[in-house]
Protein backbone atom coordinates (compact mmCIF):
# COMPACT_ATOMS: atom_id res chain seq x y z
CA UNK A 1 0.00 0.00 0.00
CA UNK A 2 2.72 2.39 1.04
CA UNK A 3 4.70 1.52 -2.07
CA UNK A 4 1.66 2.16 -4.24
CA UNK A 5 1.04 5.55 -2.70
CA UNK A 6 4.63 6.53 -3.21
CA UNK A 7 4.49 5.52 -6.84
CA UNK A 8 1.27 7.42 -7.33
CA UNK A 9 2.90 10.44 -5.78
CA UNK A 10 5.95 10.19 -8.01
CA UNK A 11 3.70 9.83 -11.02
CA UNK A 12 1.93 12.94 -9.86
CA UNK A 13 5.06 14.96 -9.45
CA UNK A 14 7.18 13.68 -12.29
CA UNK A 15 5.04 12.59 -15.17
CA UNK A 16 1.71 14.31 -15.15
CA UNK A 17 2.30 17.41 -17.23
CA UNK A 18 2.12 16.10 -20.77
CA UNK A 19 -0.90 17.37 -22.58
CA UNK A 20 -2.22 19.59 -19.81
CA UNK A 21 -2.25 22.53 -22.19
CA UNK A 22 -4.39 20.55 -24.61
CA UNK A 23 -7.27 20.09 -22.18
CA UNK A 24 -7.25 23.59 -20.83
CA UNK A 25 -9.55 26.13 -22.39
CA UNK A 26 -7.91 29.49 -22.79
CA UNK A 27 -8.48 31.65 -19.75
CA UNK A 28 -10.03 35.04 -20.21
CA UNK A 29 -7.62 37.44 -18.57
CA UNK A 30 -10.32 40.05 -18.11
CA UNK A 31 -12.10 37.79 -15.60
CA UNK A 32 -9.02 37.33 -13.49
CA UNK A 33 -7.77 39.68 -10.80
CA UNK A 34 -5.15 42.14 -11.92
CA UNK A 35 -2.90 44.30 -9.86
CA UNK A 36 -4.54 47.23 -11.62
CA UNK A 37 -7.66 46.50 -9.53
CA UNK A 38 -5.71 47.94 -6.61
CA UNK A 39 -4.08 51.33 -6.49
CA UNK A 40 -0.48 50.83 -7.58
CA UNK A 41 2.17 53.09 -8.96
CA UNK A 42 2.10 52.84 -12.72
CA UNK A 43 5.38 51.85 -14.29
CA UNK A 44 6.46 50.59 -17.69
CA UNK A 45 7.49 47.22 -16.30
CA UNK A 46 5.09 44.39 -15.60
CA UNK A 47 5.41 40.94 -14.13
CA UNK A 48 2.55 38.97 -15.63
CA UNK A 49 1.75 35.68 -13.90
CA UNK A 50 1.43 33.11 -16.69
CA UNK A 51 0.85 30.05 -14.53
CA UNK A 52 0.69 28.98 -10.89
CA UNK A 53 0.51 25.17 -10.94
CA UNK A 54 3.15 22.59 -10.08
CA UNK A 55 4.80 20.94 -13.11
CA UNK A 56 1.79 18.65 -13.76
CA UNK A 57 -0.73 21.50 -14.17
CA UNK A 58 -4.31 21.68 -12.86
CA UNK A 59 -6.25 19.62 -13.76
CA UNK A 60 -3.58 16.97 -13.93
CA UNK A 61 -3.78 14.35 -16.65
CA UNK A 62 -6.15 11.54 -15.73
CA UNK A 63 -6.76 12.83 -12.22
CA UNK A 64 -10.20 12.96 -10.70
CA UNK A 65 -9.38 14.41 -7.30
CA UNK A 66 -11.69 17.16 -6.03
CA UNK A 67 -9.41 19.94 -7.24
CA UNK A 68 -9.01 18.46 -10.72
CA UNK A 69 -12.75 17.80 -11.03
CA UNK A 70 -13.50 21.39 -10.01
CA UNK A 71 -11.08 22.66 -12.63
CA UNK A 72 -12.56 20.45 -15.36
CA UNK A 73 -16.07 21.67 -14.57
CA UNK A 74 -15.14 25.34 -14.44
CA UNK A 75 -12.23 26.76 -16.42
CA UNK A 76 -11.70 29.52 -13.85
CA UNK A 77 -10.14 26.90 -11.59
CA UNK A 78 -7.62 25.62 -14.14
CA UNK A 79 -4.04 26.70 -13.56
CA UNK A 80 -1.24 26.54 -16.09
CA UNK A 81 2.25 25.50 -15.05
CA UNK A 82 4.19 28.10 -13.04
CA UNK A 83 5.78 30.83 -15.09
CA UNK A 84 5.97 34.60 -15.25
CA UNK A 85 6.55 37.04 -18.08
CA UNK A 86 8.57 40.20 -17.52
CA UNK A 87 7.33 42.89 -19.86
CA UNK A 88 8.94 46.21 -20.79
CA UNK A 89 6.05 48.24 -22.21
CA UNK A 90 8.33 50.95 -23.63
CA UNK A 91 10.79 48.71 -25.45
CA UNK A 92 7.96 46.27 -26.29
CA UNK A 93 10.01 43.34 -25.07
CA UNK A 94 8.97 40.28 -23.11
CA UNK A 95 10.91 37.64 -21.27
CA UNK A 96 9.54 34.32 -20.04
CA UNK A 97 10.77 32.80 -16.81
CA UNK A 98 10.61 29.04 -17.30
CA UNK A 99 9.57 27.36 -20.54
CA UNK A 100 6.62 25.24 -19.38
CA UNK A 101 4.64 22.64 -21.35
CA UNK A 102 1.94 25.38 -21.49
CA UNK A 103 4.21 27.98 -23.12
CA UNK A 104 2.13 28.24 -26.32
CA UNK A 105 -0.85 29.58 -24.38
CA UNK A 106 1.37 31.56 -22.06
CA UNK A 107 3.30 33.44 -24.74
CA UNK A 108 -0.06 34.41 -26.29
CA UNK A 109 -0.99 36.09 -23.03
CA UNK A 110 2.25 38.09 -22.94
CA UNK A 111 1.85 39.05 -26.62
CA UNK A 112 -1.75 40.12 -25.99
CA UNK A 113 -0.58 42.30 -23.12
CA UNK A 114 1.98 43.92 -25.40
CA UNK A 115 -0.58 44.32 -28.18
CA UNK A 116 1.58 42.31 -30.60
CA UNK A 117 -0.78 40.36 -32.83
CA UNK A 118 0.31 40.92 -36.41
CA UNK A 119 1.79 38.38 -38.76
CA UNK A 120 5.40 38.90 -39.58
CA UNK A 121 6.12 40.87 -36.48
CA UNK A 122 8.64 39.73 -33.95
CA UNK A 123 6.57 37.35 -31.86
CA UNK A 124 9.13 35.15 -30.12
CA UNK A 125 10.03 36.13 -26.58
CA UNK A 126 13.13 38.33 -26.35
CA UNK A 127 14.66 35.69 -24.10
CA UNK A 128 13.81 32.71 -21.94
CA UNK A 129 15.23 32.28 -18.45
CA UNK A 130 15.23 28.85 -16.84
CA UNK A 131 15.23 27.86 -13.18
CA UNK A 132 16.00 24.13 -13.55
CA UNK A 133 15.58 20.87 -15.45
CA UNK A 134 12.28 19.50 -14.14
CA UNK A 135 9.57 18.95 -16.73
CA UNK A 136 7.42 21.95 -15.87
CA UNK A 137 10.31 24.36 -16.20
CA UNK A 138 12.13 23.73 -19.47
CA UNK A 139 10.31 21.29 -21.77
CA UNK A 140 8.41 24.13 -23.47
CA UNK A 141 11.70 24.86 -25.26
CA UNK A 142 10.63 22.16 -27.73
CA UNK A 143 8.22 24.60 -29.40
CA UNK A 144 11.14 26.79 -30.50
CA UNK A 145 12.74 23.94 -32.47
CA UNK A 146 12.58 22.64 -36.00
CA UNK A 147 9.09 21.15 -35.61
CA UNK A 148 7.75 24.35 -34.08
CA UNK A 149 8.54 28.05 -34.31
CA UNK A 150 12.12 27.35 -35.43
CA UNK A 151 13.59 30.45 -33.86
CA UNK A 152 17.05 31.70 -34.66
CA UNK A 153 19.38 32.10 -31.70
CA UNK A 154 16.64 32.76 -29.17
CA UNK A 155 18.62 33.66 -26.02
CA UNK A 156 18.09 31.07 -23.27
CA UNK A 157 19.65 32.11 -19.97
CA UNK A 158 20.43 29.35 -17.48
CA UNK A 159 23.21 28.16 -15.18
CA UNK A 160 26.23 26.46 -16.72
CA UNK A 161 25.08 23.05 -15.41
CA UNK A 162 21.61 23.52 -16.91
CA UNK A 163 23.26 24.63 -20.16
CA UNK A 164 25.39 21.46 -20.26
CA UNK A 165 22.28 19.35 -19.69
CA UNK A 166 20.62 20.99 -22.72
CA UNK A 167 23.69 20.78 -24.99
CA UNK A 168 24.50 17.17 -24.07
CA UNK A 169 21.06 15.54 -24.27
CA UNK A 170 18.63 15.13 -27.14
CA UNK A 171 16.22 16.43 -28.18
CA UNK A 172 17.42 19.66 -26.53
CA UNK A 173 20.89 19.37 -28.07
CA UNK A 174 19.31 19.80 -31.49
CA UNK A 175 17.97 23.21 -30.47
CA UNK A 176 21.56 24.16 -29.71
CA UNK A 177 23.18 22.58 -32.80
CA UNK A 178 20.60 24.08 -35.18
CA UNK A 179 21.00 27.41 -33.37
CA UNK A 180 17.29 27.67 -32.60
CA UNK A 181 18.42 28.73 -29.16
CA UNK A 182 21.56 30.42 -27.95
CA UNK A 183 22.60 29.44 -24.43
CA UNK A 184 23.75 32.26 -22.13
CA UNK A 185 25.27 31.45 -18.76
CA UNK A 186 23.68 32.90 -15.63
CA UNK A 187 26.01 33.33 -12.68
CA UNK A 188 24.23 33.00 -9.32
CA UNK A 189 24.48 36.26 -7.39
CA UNK A 190 25.44 38.28 -10.46
CA UNK A 191 22.91 40.80 -11.74
CA UNK A 192 21.85 40.70 -15.39
CA UNK A 193 20.13 43.57 -17.25
CA UNK A 194 17.37 42.48 -19.60
CA UNK A 195 16.40 46.01 -20.65
CA UNK A 196 17.25 49.45 -19.29
CA UNK A 197 14.29 49.00 -16.92
CA UNK A 198 14.46 45.31 -15.97
CA UNK A 199 17.28 43.46 -14.27
CA UNK A 200 17.46 40.27 -12.30
CA UNK A 201 19.76 38.36 -10.01
CA UNK A 202 19.74 34.54 -10.06
CA UNK A 203 19.82 32.96 -6.59
CA UNK A 204 20.96 29.36 -6.17
CA UNK A 205 18.44 27.30 -4.14
CA UNK A 206 18.50 23.72 -2.82
CA UNK A 207 16.20 21.30 -4.70
CA UNK A 208 16.18 17.76 -6.18
CA UNK A 209 19.01 18.38 -8.61
CA UNK A 210 19.17 15.23 -10.74
CA UNK A 211 19.90 16.96 -14.05
CA UNK A 212 20.73 20.55 -13.17
CA UNK A 213 21.12 22.88 -10.25
CA UNK A 214 18.18 25.16 -9.38
CA UNK A 215 17.81 28.92 -9.16
CA UNK A 216 15.19 31.48 -8.22
CA UNK A 217 15.24 35.14 -9.28
CA UNK A 218 15.21 38.53 -7.60
CA UNK A 219 13.80 40.87 -10.23
CA UNK A 220 14.07 44.67 -10.23
CA UNK A 221 11.82 46.91 -12.28
CA UNK A 222 11.59 50.70 -12.29
CA UNK A 223 10.20 51.00 -8.77
CA UNK A 224 9.63 47.58 -7.32
CA UNK A 225 11.31 44.26 -6.74
CA UNK A 226 9.88 40.76 -6.98
CA UNK A 227 11.31 37.52 -5.61
CA UNK A 228 10.41 34.42 -7.66
CA UNK A 229 11.14 31.00 -6.15
CA UNK A 230 8.83 28.36 -7.62
CA UNK A 231 10.81 25.33 -6.38
CA UNK A 232 12.95 25.01 -3.25
CA UNK A 233 13.58 22.09 -0.89
CA UNK A 234 12.89 24.08 2.29
CA UNK A 235 13.56 27.52 3.73
CA UNK A 236 15.83 25.98 6.38
CA UNK A 237 18.02 24.23 3.80
CA UNK A 238 18.72 27.53 1.98
CA UNK A 239 21.97 29.35 2.70
CA UNK A 240 20.04 32.64 2.67
CA UNK A 241 17.38 33.81 5.10
CA UNK A 242 13.97 33.81 3.41
CA UNK A 243 12.82 36.42 5.93
CA UNK A 244 15.62 38.79 4.84
CA UNK A 245 15.12 38.01 1.16
CA UNK A 246 11.36 38.61 1.42
CA UNK A 247 11.94 41.90 3.24
CA UNK A 248 14.19 43.12 0.40
CA UNK A 249 11.33 42.94 -2.11
CA UNK A 250 7.81 44.29 -2.63
CA UNK A 251 6.33 41.03 -3.93
CA UNK A 252 7.40 37.45 -3.22
CA UNK A 253 6.03 34.61 -5.36
CA UNK A 254 7.04 31.51 -3.46
CA UNK A 255 6.90 27.72 -3.63
CA UNK A 256 3.47 26.74 -2.29
CA UNK A 257 3.39 23.22 -3.77
CA UNK A 258 1.72 21.60 -0.76
CA UNK A 259 -0.39 23.10 2.02
CA UNK A 260 0.11 20.48 4.73
CA UNK A 261 0.97 16.79 5.16
CA UNK A 262 -2.73 15.77 5.18
CA UNK A 263 -2.76 15.90 1.40
CA UNK A 264 0.10 13.40 1.29
CA UNK A 265 -1.02 10.47 3.46
CA UNK A 266 1.70 7.92 4.15
CA UNK A 267 4.51 10.23 3.06
CA UNK A 268 7.62 10.79 5.11
CA UNK A 269 7.46 14.50 5.98
CA UNK A 270 11.22 14.91 5.77
CA UNK A 271 11.20 13.73 2.15
CA UNK A 272 8.52 16.05 0.76
CA UNK A 273 11.11 18.34 -0.77
CA UNK A 274 9.09 21.58 -0.63
CA UNK A 275 8.33 24.02 2.17
CA UNK A 276 4.73 23.35 3.26
CA UNK A 277 2.54 26.47 3.05
CA UNK A 278 1.67 25.86 6.70
CA UNK A 279 5.38 26.19 7.55
CA UNK A 280 5.83 29.27 5.36
CA UNK A 281 2.91 30.98 7.14
CA UNK A 282 4.88 30.62 10.37
CA UNK A 283 8.34 31.40 8.97
CA UNK A 284 7.16 34.51 7.15
CA UNK A 285 4.31 35.49 9.47
CA UNK A 286 5.99 38.67 10.71
CA UNK A 287 6.90 39.82 7.21
CA UNK A 288 3.31 39.34 6.05
CA UNK A 289 1.96 41.18 9.10
CA UNK A 290 4.23 44.18 8.44
CA UNK A 291 2.47 44.45 5.09
CA UNK A 292 5.41 45.81 3.11
CA UNK A 293 5.88 42.62 1.11
CA UNK A 294 2.97 40.93 -0.66
CA UNK A 295 3.59 37.20 -0.25
CA UNK A 296 1.81 34.95 -2.76
CA UNK A 297 2.10 31.19 -3.20
CA UNK A 298 2.62 29.63 -6.61
CA UNK A 299 3.65 26.21 -8.06
CA UNK A 300 0.53 24.66 -6.46
CA UNK A 301 0.17 20.90 -6.68
CA UNK A 302 -3.23 19.62 -7.85
CA UNK A 303 -3.72 18.07 -4.38
CA UNK A 304 -3.19 21.38 -2.56
CA UNK A 305 -5.87 21.89 0.10
CA UNK A 306 -5.70 25.66 -0.42
CA UNK A 307 -7.12 25.27 -3.95
CA UNK A 308 -10.61 24.93 -2.46
CA UNK A 309 -11.83 28.55 -2.41
CA UNK A 310 -14.20 27.78 0.46
CA UNK A 311 -11.81 25.60 2.46
CA UNK A 312 -10.15 26.13 5.82
CA UNK A 313 -6.67 26.19 4.30
CA UNK A 314 -7.54 29.15 2.05
CA UNK A 315 -9.08 31.00 5.02
CA UNK A 316 -5.97 30.42 7.13
CA UNK A 317 -3.73 31.79 4.37
CA UNK A 318 -5.87 34.91 3.96
CA UNK A 319 -6.26 35.50 7.69
CA UNK A 320 -2.52 35.50 8.12
CA UNK A 321 -1.99 38.10 5.41
CA UNK A 322 -0.84 35.84 2.55
CA UNK A 323 -2.62 34.72 -0.60
CA UNK A 324 -2.39 32.39 -3.59
CA UNK A 325 -1.09 33.88 -6.83
CA UNK A 326 -3.59 33.79 -9.72
CA UNK A 327 -3.02 32.98 -13.37
CA UNK A 328 -3.22 36.24 -15.32
CA UNK A 329 -2.59 38.68 -12.48
CA UNK A 330 -0.06 41.42 -13.00
CA UNK A 331 2.35 43.29 -10.80
CA UNK A 332 3.60 46.69 -11.80
CA UNK A 333 7.32 46.76 -11.02
ZN1 LIG B 1 8.49 22.50 -10.42
ZN1 LIG C 1 -5.92 15.97 -9.10
ZN1 LIG D 1 11.58 21.06 -9.58
Amino acid sequence: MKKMERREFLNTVLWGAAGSSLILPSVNLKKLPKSSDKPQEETSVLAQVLGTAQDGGIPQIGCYCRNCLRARKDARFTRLVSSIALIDLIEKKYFILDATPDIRLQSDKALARLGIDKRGRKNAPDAILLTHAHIGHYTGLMFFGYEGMSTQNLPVHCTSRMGRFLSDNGPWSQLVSLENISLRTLHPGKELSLTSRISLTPLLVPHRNEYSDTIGFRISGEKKKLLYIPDIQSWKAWNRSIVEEAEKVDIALLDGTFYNPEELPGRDLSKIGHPLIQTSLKTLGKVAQKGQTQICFTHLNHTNLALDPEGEARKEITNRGFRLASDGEEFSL
Side-chain angles (χ1 to χ4, degrees):
M1 183 62 183
K2 219 170 182 180
K3 209 174 176 185
M4 188 61 194
E5 278 163 355
R6 179 169 166 73
R7 201 182 68 192
E8 278 170 13
F9 175 79
L10 284 174
N11 286 345
T12 294
V13 171
L14 296 173
W15 303 114
S20 63
S21 61
L22 300 177
I23 51 174
L24 296 176
S26 72
V27 177
N28 183 350
L29 287 179
K30 282 185 188 139
K31 286 186 185 164
L32 294 166
K34 283 184 181 176
S35 62
S36 53
D37 295 341
K38 296 173 197 160
Q40 280 211 13
E41 285 169 293
E42 281 300 313
T43 69
S44 309
V45 176
L46 291 176
Q48 183 188 29
V49 177
L50 298 178
T52 53
Q54 182 268 356
D55 302 39
I58 299 169
Q60 181 147 242
I61 186 168
C63 183
Y64 290 87
C65 74
R66 281 178 55 177
N67 291 333
C68 290
L69 276 173
R70 189 190 302 109
R72 281 209 192 80
K73 273 193 203 136
D74 185 341
R76 288 175 305 167
F77 296 105
T78 62
R79 289 175 185 261
L80 302 184
V81 177
S82 294
S83 171
I84 58 175
L86 300 177
I87 298 176
D88 185 324
L89 294 167
I90 304 282
E91 292 191 33
K92 292 247 171 204
K93 286 185 175 170
Y94 79 105
F95 305 86
I96 295 189
L97 272 57
D98 276 340
T100 84
D102 295 327
I103 197 167
R104 290 179 306 141
L105 298 172
Q106 292 173 325
S107 74
D108 279 354
K109 293 180 200 307
L111 287 167
R113 191 62 183 78
L114 273 170
I116 296 177
D117 56 3
K118 301 222 168 51
R119 249 183 105 153
R121 290 185 59 176
K122 178 192 70 82
N123 293 339
D126 290 89
I128 300 281
L129 296 105
L130 302 176
T131 58
H132 66 300
H134 285 158
I135 60 154
H137 302 266
Y138 79 100
T139 53
L141 288 179
M142 63 190 170
F143 296 113
F144 298 108
Y146 194 61
E147 301 89 345
M149 196 180 194
S150 204
T151 48
Q152 287 179 346
N153 288 310
L154 170 69
V156 173
H157 298 267
C158 58
T159 66
S160 55
R161 191 173 159 205
M162 179 77 206
R164 275 200 304 281
F165 168 75
L166 294 172
S167 331
D168 294 352
N169 294 283
W172 321 108
S173 52
Q174 183 175 288
L175 297 170
V176 180
S177 61
L178 294 183
E179 298 183 344
N180 298 125
I181 65 172
S182 166
L183 295 174
R184 315 276 169 92
T185 305
L186 286 172
H187 300 281
K190 198 177 161 207
E191 192 172 35
L192 169 75
S193 287
L194 296 176
T195 74
S196 58
R197 292 168 198 82
I198 308 173
S199 62
L200 50 75
T201 307
L203 306 171
L204 211 54
V205 297
H207 188 44
R208 282 187 302 121
N209 288 335
E210 302 93 333
Y211 300 113
S212 70
D213 42 14
T214 303
I215 52 176
F217 293 104
R218 190 196 303 122
I219 299 143
S220 300
E222 288 181 308
K223 291 180 178 161
K224 291 191 174 174
K225 290 186 169 64
L226 183 150
L227 179 66
Y228 185 59
I229 304 181
D231 260 301
I232 186 167
Q233 184 186 319
S234 70
W235 303 125
K236 263 191 197 156
W238 199 17
N239 62 2
R240 291 172 182 261
S241 151
I242 182 57
V243 170
E244 283 172 23
E245 291 302 323
E247 280 176 338
K248 282 183 199 167
V249 299
D250 303 277
I251 304 123
L253 289 181
L254 303 179
D255 182 342
T257 311
F258 303 111
Y259 180 74
N260 75 15
E262 281 170 39
E263 62 192 89
L264 302 160
R267 286 267 297 169
D268 178 350
L269 256 184
S270 65
K271 295 201 173 94
I272 282 178
H274 294 276
L276 297 167
I277 289 183
Q278 236 177 15
T279 309
S280 301
L281 297 183
K282 284 189 198 131
T283 309
L284 289 162
K286 285 199 179 122
V287 184
Q289 286 306 317
K290 271 192 214 162
Q292 274 161 12
T293 307
Q294 272 193 70
I295 306 176
C296 312
F297 296 106
T298 187
H299 197 267
L300 308 165
N301 199 59
H302 68 116
T303 57
N304 197 308
L305 293 169
L307 289 170
D308 180 354
E310 311 297 333
E312 286 306 310
R314 180 73 70 90
K315 278 180 206 148
E316 184 68 9
I317 290 171
T318 312
N319 290 344
R320 287 175 178 249
F322 298 75
R323 66 183 180 85
L324 300 188
S326 303
D327 286 30
E329 77 173 308
E330 294 175 0
F331 299 97
S332 198
L333 298 184

